[in-house]
Amino acid sequence: MISRRIIRIKVLQVLYAYYTSSEKSINNSEKELFFSIQKTYDLYHYLLDLAIEISKHAESVIELRKKKHFPTEEDLNPNTRFIRNQLISQLKENESLNKYLDKSKLSWINEPEFVKKMYNALIATDFYKSYMLAPENSYQADKKLIEQLFAEVILQSDDLFGILEEQSIYWNDDVDFVVSMIIKTFKKFKEYTRENQALLPMFKDEEDRQFSKDLFRKTILNHDELKEVVTTHTVNWDVERIAFIDELILEMAIAEFLYFPSIPTKVSLNEYIELSKYYSTKKSRNFINGILDKALKALKSENKILKAGRGLIGEDTPKS
């Protein structure tokens, strides 16, 4: 499912687009936010299908070698361990995956050279060679190979990023996260898994879906108040020279401090400092860390931070 970290990133991106656009519509920007999240979910299914296509290419290579004018003994009696990989077979038969791919029209049919390149990169790896030559096979070995395929071949491909960038502007920052979603999905698959095995949902629950909407809207609708908090704690800085993306990160974090009673401040603080590592300079990261720390202490002293339930200040820090 789409993690809250990715939700925060998507909200940040849509907020930036909203404020830098000449035509501002909260409703349209909110639709853009959920469309962006949907595209991440598309990529999840699209990359699962890539593993299937690599397996199909391997099968076609075997068939072509059998049809050679002078096939060798190896050509006629190939090692079929990879094309019989049990996890790949489960993905091929998975009803949820097939239904989603059919409905969304996602396909690698126009990228045969890339699929071939991924196959060639896979068979060149030491882990693939060890897998193919192992004296015994097992479901766990099959699963491990596909996990390595994603982590050590697909995720490392510069060509993949180029292809995805051409197809969707929404996929630029999503690949690492989506691969982690896929690895998490594989942990749910067992040797006895049937075709009706569920894949990960887009959102963990309705609460996460609502969090997406609320974070976006509360940051925009309370922009003046949030900006005032930022300004108060940047008195020694030239506010006009603060990078706009840094200002948005600060406003989102402060919005979570103030308007999300179930999220511990420590979680919010850590998440936005982490977010700044990807969207700010090293100097900006230190600046954001310092400003958020000062703002949080001040808001607490003014009794403006009201947390309840699991989010009690200083208590539990649930996953967010």
Side-chain angles (χ1 to χ4, degrees):
M1 70 285 293
I2 310 298
S3 72
R4 286 202 173 185
R5 177 167 296 174
I6 296 302
I7 290 171
R8 290 179 176 99
I9 289 173
K10 298 295 185 182
V11 170
L12 176 64
Q13 292 170 340
V14 172
L15 283 172
Y16 186 87
Y18 171 85
Y19 282 114
T20 56
S21 172
S22 58
E23 296 183 8
K24 292 179 173 56
S25 167
I26 292 178
N27 288 336
N28 288 343
S29 292
E30 186 179 280
K31 290 177 183 177
E32 181 74 7
L33 170 63
F34 283 98
F35 181 77
S36 175
I37 293 171
Q38 181 69 59
K39 291 300 292 183
T40 299
Y41 200 49
D42 284 353
L43 183 59
Y44 167 65
H45 292 82
Y46 192 41
L47 291 185
L48 281 171
D49 189 42
L50 178 56
I52 295 173
E53 291 304 314
I54 292 171
S55 174
K56 289 179 179 178
H57 178 76
E59 195 167 356
S60 70
V61 169
I62 287 175
E63 292 304 313
L64 282 173
R65 287 175 177 170
K66 285 181 179 180
K67 295 176 182 178
K68 287 163 60 174
H69 287 300
F70 301 102
T72 64
E73 179 65 23
E74 184 179 355
D75 291 332
L76 295 173
N77 297 283
N79 184 338
T80 59
R81 178 169 288 181
F82 176 58
I83 66 171
R84 294 180 183 276
N85 183 281
Q86 295 173 78
L87 180 58
I88 291 291
S89 296
Q90 289 172 332
L91 290 176
K92 286 179 179 178
E93 297 169 3
N94 187 268
E95 293 173 351
S96 294
L97 178 58
N98 286 318
K99 184 178 180 180
Y100 195 99
L101 292 172
D102 183 59
K103 183 178 179 179
S104 60
K105 307 301 181 186
L106 292 167
S107 170
W108 292 93
I109 192 169
N110 294 322
E111 302 293 345
E113 287 304 311
F114 174 70
V115 173
K116 178 181 178 181
K117 184 174 287 189
M118 288 295 93
Y119 169 71
N120 288 334
L122 172 64
I123 64 176
T125 63
D126 291 336
F127 67 80
Y128 175 85
K129 295 171 184 176
S130 297
Y131 166 81
M132 296 296 281
L133 295 175
E136 295 182 4
N137 195 20
S138 68
Y139 181 79
Q140 289 305 315
D142 283 355
K143 182 190 287 191
K144 183 178 180 181
L145 178 85
I146 306 307
E147 290 175 348
Q148 289 177 301
L149 166 62
F150 275 98
E152 300 182 39
V153 177
I154 293 174
L155 187 57
Q156 307 307 319
S157 170
D158 291 335
D159 291 329
L160 173 66
F161 286 86
I163 288 172
L164 296 182
E165 188 173 6
E166 288 179 3
Q167 295 192 39
S168 175
I169 60 172
Y170 299 94
W171 287 346
N172 292 348
D173 301 323
D174 288 354
V175 179
D176 288 61
F177 168 70
V178 168
V179 168
S180 73
M181 281 179 67
I182 288 171
I183 301 301
K184 187 179 294 186
T185 300
F186 292 160
K187 295 186 185 306
K188 295 179 176 293
F189 277 67
K190 310 297 179 185
E191 189 169 2
Y192 52 80
T193 292
R194 305 297 295 274
E195 62 274 5
N196 60 350
Q197 170 66 39
L199 301 179
L200 294 182
M202 184 159 65
F203 292 102
K204 181 180 69 175
D205 49 32
E206 184 57 33
E207 187 178 331
D208 272 11
R209 181 186 291 275
Q210 190 64 39
F211 171 75
S212 308
K213 179 176 181 177
D214 288 347
L215 181 60
F216 170 70
R217 284 190 170 262
K218 288 180 185 296
T219 304
I220 283 184
L221 296 176
N222 296 283
H223 171 66
D224 291 343
E225 180 182 352
L226 296 171
K227 186 176 179 65
E228 183 179 346
V229 175
V230 172
T231 302
T232 298
H233 296 286
T234 53
V235 290
N236 295 323
W237 294 76
D238 182 351
V239 179
E240 297 302 319
R241 296 184 63 184
I242 297 174
F244 185 53
I245 195 74
D246 294 346
E247 185 178 333
L248 286 179
I249 290 172
L250 289 168
E251 289 186 18
M252 287 174 64
I254 294 166
E256 280 196 30
F257 293 161
L258 293 172
Y259 313 126
F260 291 81
S262 66
I263 301 177
T265 55
K266 183 177 180 181
V267 170
S268 298
L269 186 63
N270 290 340
E271 284 295 318
Y272 286 99
I273 291 173
E274 189 67 25
L275 198 60
S276 71
K277 292 180 181 179
Y278 297 96
Y279 291 92
S280 299
T281 64
K282 185 175 181 179
K283 185 176 181 180
S284 293
R285 293 200 298 270
N286 295 332
F287 163 73
I288 287 171
N289 191 355
I291 297 303
L292 287 181
D293 187 57
K294 288 197 299 183
L296 180 56
K297 288 177 181 176
L299 292 170
K300 283 182 179 180
S301 68
E302 296 165 9
N303 294 319
K304 290 184 178 180
I305 304 289
L306 301 175
K307 299 294 182 178
R310 294 185 308 162
L312 288 171
I313 298 175
E315 297 295 328
D316 297 333
T317 54
K319 294 179 181 179
S320 182

